Amino acid sequence: RDIADAHLSGTLHLTNLGSWILKPSKFMHDLRFFFKHGLKTDATDFNRPSYPSPKNLETALLTASNIIKIASTEVIGEQNLDYFNVFLAPFTKNLPPDDIKESLRLFLSNLNQSITNTGTPLETSVGLELVIPDFLEKQTAFGPNGKTTGTYADFVEESRIIASLLLELISEDEKHRPLFNPSLIIKIRPEALNNKECESLLLQSHQLAAERGIPYFANLSNKNQKYASYTASGFRLGADWKKDWELDTLQTGSVDSVILNLPRATYEAEGKQSRLLKILDEQLEMALRALKIKHLTLRQRVRERLLPFLTQKADGDSYLRLENASHLISFIGLNEATQSLIGKPIHEDEEALKFAKETLKYLQEGIQKSAKKETRAVLSIVPSTDASKRLVELDVERYGWSKVRASGTRDQPFYTSCVAIPFEDGFLWKKRLNIEASFHELTPGSHLAIIQLPDFQQDPNKLLSVTKEIAKTHSLGLYTYNHALTHCVGCQKTSYGLLDKCSSCGAVNTLVRFSRLST
């Protein structure tokens, strides 16, 4: 009851509340499981047939899209297909590029025709490798009919061809609205930056970023990032739980996330640091308990066979590794909380920045102390438009505008959630990224930096130089170059910026605007 009251009053925010007791929040798939054992659709419906291991590239890609489609009934949000081009590479041996491209085109079409109950495409991300990671080189490669075909080190060139053709498909057709599903996550490893054979892929991915702002880039330069897997929303899994990259990052995901209302904690603390820490302890205890309760309910769903696809077994092992799923403790309004207590935003004052970092370190230490050894709890930055608006409205209602610090306007206020610094506070991108990077290190469960681009096409070489500079800093985890776009359904023209009138035909009522959330 105390957790429910905390959510309703605005002390906490439980995400995905409508499905809280039913499903995990996010999931990282392992294509090898299905390439080896086939697709058992009868696990969810006895009237459906099971399909054997795919025999060629087209059926392998059909298997991948069906995995997303079937699992969407058992996962609330984003699903990820990591090492996508590596695991598919054995199916492309000796295939002409045109045939590979056509199969990928059908995969994209099939994936985007599968929609949720709200009419939107199933939220999917794919991880693309520019090199074969050393920990995958000696792994057995599964190819047509589930047979072993050497190791993944034998398919370097094939994996690059798949990545290149996928990037080409998403960028080539100007007559259709921008294709945002699946989200592409380009994994930047030191070996790729120092490899001449990767230069064309690096430039191609940054060309797509310069034109449409579509790909995400995972900076895996630091040794702590070597085994990291990301979704496009910033969710991260690393080899920091069982110390095994497969157990820690594949066939598992996120139980869910609970968001702490940091501004409210500072309002109630009334400037007293000791009282603030006590309030944070109380919030943290309830958040951890809420996630533990959900974990226990998911165990019950498994026993009741209500997650049949995720819990199917092969060779005696369940596909879902529930005990390795992470519990995300997130927060909202760090910048506004800092303004409330220190009097200045994070980026304008060293004392403010120090306070923000110390607050996150305190939460991180609290999670480590309070979470039991069998619970994979981690501090995170989870983007949530609903929480950023709901919590500030409740705080205004409770404390009034004389006390509340918020971003936006009084008509449309919000707390900062996706990033540490609101986007309207414009200043040099290097300074912004340095600050964001320091928070990425403190939030290993989820983080995303958004680099906002001007409303015109960028030079891909310049963006690539920024990526190389980011790789040298070693601390920024996941980032993307963001373009605001307006697409006219009438004339099929896509323009830069959030426009009120089509720049080509002048239409007003046929516009669709695209931009990542900037709260």
Side-chain angles (χ1 to χ4, degrees):
R1 182 178 292 274
D2 60 336
I3 295 171
D5 288 344
H7 173 84
L8 292 172
S9 66
T11 298
L12 301 176
H13 182 88
L14 278 64
T15 59
N16 305 311
L17 195 57
S19 303
W20 185 262
I21 62 169
L22 300 175
K23 314 172 187 178
S25 173
K26 293 179 173 57
F27 197 80
M28 302 285 200
H29 288 288
D30 187 348
L31 286 173
R32 297 172 302 171
F33 181 93
F34 301 97
F35 291 167
K36 181 181 179 182
H37 302 291
L39 187 62
K40 297 180 180 178
T41 55
D42 60 349
T44 58
D45 186 344
F46 288 111
N47 294 318
R48 293 182 180 180
S50 289
Y51 296 95
S53 301
K55 62 181 181 179
N56 53 39
L57 177 62
E58 190 171 335
T59 52
L61 286 166
L62 182 62
T63 297
S65 60
N66 282 336
I67 291 167
I68 299 297
K69 189 185 303 182
I70 299 168
S72 67
T73 63
E74 301 180 18
V75 179
I76 299 171
E78 189 175 1
Q79 300 179 62
N80 175 270
L81 301 172
D82 207 358
Y83 310 104
F84 182 74
N85 57 322
V86 177
F87 292 159
L88 281 169
F91 291 89
T92 66
K93 193 75 173 178
N94 300 321
L95 279 182
D98 286 347
D99 290 356
I100 300 172
K101 187 174 181 179
E102 187 57 30
S103 295
L104 288 169
R105 191 192 304 277
L106 290 173
F107 166 73
L108 293 176
S109 175
N110 192 26
L111 193 62
N112 281 280
Q113 287 174 12
S114 303
I115 60 174
T116 65
N117 294 332
T118 59
T120 57
L122 299 177
E123 196 176 356
T124 311
S125 54
V126 300
L128 297 180
E129 294 282 357
L130 308 185
V131 296
I132 306 295
D134 58 12
F135 54 87
L136 264 181
E137 287 180 340
K138 296 181 180 180
Q139 292 281 322
T140 300
F142 295 100
N145 301 308
K147 295 180 179 178
T148 59
T149 54
T151 65
Y152 287 108
D154 302 326
F155 299 96
V156 177
E157 187 58 34
E158 288 83 357
S159 69
R160 287 179 184 149
I161 289 173
I162 293 172
S164 178
L165 291 174
L166 189 57
L167 289 166
E168 187 178 311
L169 275 170
I170 289 179
S171 63
E172 71 179 4
D173 196 347
E174 287 288 336
K175 289 186 177 288
H176 291 82
R177 58 195 277 177
L179 184 64
F180 297 110
N181 193 52
S183 299
L184 304 183
I185 301 171
I186 312 299
K187 304 177 83 170
I188 306 295
R189 299 185 184 276
E191 310 94 279
L193 293 174
N194 299 321
N195 189 329
K196 288 187 177 181
E197 295 179 1
C198 295
E199 287 180 2
S200 61
L201 268 178
L202 283 167
L203 189 59
Q204 191 179 4
S205 61
H206 286 81
Q207 178 72 43
L208 186 55
E211 291 176 355
R212 298 291 180 89
I214 287 177
Y216 296 77
F217 296 90
N219 176 22
L220 308 183
S221 299
N222 189 287
K223 64 179 181 179
N224 295 328
Q225 285 281 89
K226 180 177 180 178
Y227 304 108
S229 289
Y230 282 95
T231 69
S233 59
F235 173 58
R236 175 188 178 275
L237 288 174
D240 51 9
W241 179 239
K242 300 294 184 181
K243 312 302 180 184
D244 181 295
W245 73 271
E246 288 181 278
L247 297 179
D248 283 351
T249 65
L250 297 177
Q251 298 175 220
T252 189
S254 163
V255 168
D256 220 314
S257 62
V258 176
I259 298 173
L260 312 181
N261 185 347
L262 296 186
R264 174 170 292 194
T266 60
Y267 306 151
E268 294 184 354
E270 297 181 338
K272 297 177 181 178
Q273 186 82 7
S274 58
R275 176 154 174 72
L276 173 64
L277 299 181
K278 184 178 179 181
I279 294 169
L280 291 178
D281 287 341
E282 293 170 356
Q283 286 190 2
L284 192 58
E285 187 277 331
M286 283 192 290
L288 287 167
R289 188 153 39 95
L291 290 166
K292 182 63 175 177
I293 291 170
K294 174 159 187 179
H295 195 139
L296 293 173
T297 63
L298 289 180
R299 279 189 195 169
Q300 183 62 29
R301 299 297 85 82
V302 169
R303 288 194 290 269
E304 295 168 347
R305 295 285 295 156
L306 294 179
L307 298 173
F309 183 76
L310 292 181
T311 55
Q312 63 181 284
K313 291 185 177 182
D315 298 331
D317 290 329
S318 171
Y319 180 59
L320 168 65
R321 295 166 177 149
L322 180 59
E323 300 310 313
N324 296 345
S326 63
H327 299 201
L328 302 183
I329 303 294
S330 190
F331 54 87
I332 208 162
L334 178 63
N335 191 58
E336 290 79 16
T338 303
Q339 283 181 284
S340 172
L341 204 72
I342 304 300
K344 291 184 179 180
I346 292 171
H347 63 283
E348 288 186 2
D349 183 76
E350 284 298 321
E351 184 184 355
L353 179 59
K354 181 182 178 183
F355 167 78
K357 288 181 179 179
E358 287 179 348
T359 300
L360 296 195
K361 286 177 183 176
Y362 185 81
L363 290 173
Q364 191 179 52
E365 291 170 0
I367 291 171
Q368 292 172 350
K369 290 177 183 177
S370 303
K372 296 180 180 179
K373 290 183 179 180
E374 68 270 16
T375 303
R376 189 180 187 180
V378 279
L379 189 62
S380 312
I381 302 178
V382 174
S384 175
T385 305
D386 290 342
S388 70
K389 294 178 179 178
R390 186 182 82 91
L391 297 182
V392 74
E393 288 171 0
L394 289 171
D395 284 351
V396 169
E397 183 180 324
R398 183 166 185 166
Y399 300 103
W401 277 111
S402 61
K403 197 167 189 176
V404 170
R405 297 289 178 269
S407 298
T409 64
R410 288 204 173 193
D411 292 333
Q412 294 182 320
F414 62 85
Y415 285 144
T416 307
S417 73
C418 184
V419 290
I421 307 166
F423 284 110
E424 63 263 26
D425 296 321
F427 56 98
L428 292 175
W429 65 267
K430 286 187 179 182
K431 182 178 179 183
R432 174 183 289 276
L433 292 188
N434 284 337
I435 294 174
E436 294 291 344
S438 65
F439 293 120
H440 281 205
E441 293 179 309
L442 294 168
T443 53
S446 180
H447 48 242
L448 170 64
I450 298 175
I451 304 173
Q452 186 65 41
L453 299 176
D455 292 333
F456 53 85
Q457 186 169 328
Q458 301 297 294
D459 181 349
N461 287 293
K462 289 184 178 179
L463 295 190
L464 179 53
S465 68
V466 173
T467 286
K468 289 179 177 179
E469 186 170 337
I470 289 172
K472 290 178 182 178
T473 68
H474 296 304
S475 52
L476 198 71
L478 183 71
Y479 60 95
T480 185
Y481 301 100
N482 186 46
H483 262 311
L485 302 171
T486 299
H487 177 75
C488 179
V489 178
C491 70
Q492 299 291 306
K493 174 73 174 178
T494 300
S495 306
Y496 293 113
L498 301 178
L499 308 180
D500 295 319
K501 182 173 73 172
C502 178
S503 59
S504 178
C505 69
V508 175
N509 296 322
T510 59
L511 302 182
V512 183
R513 301 172 184 85
F514 302 96
S515 183
R516 290 180 177 87
L517 298 176
S518 58
T519 57

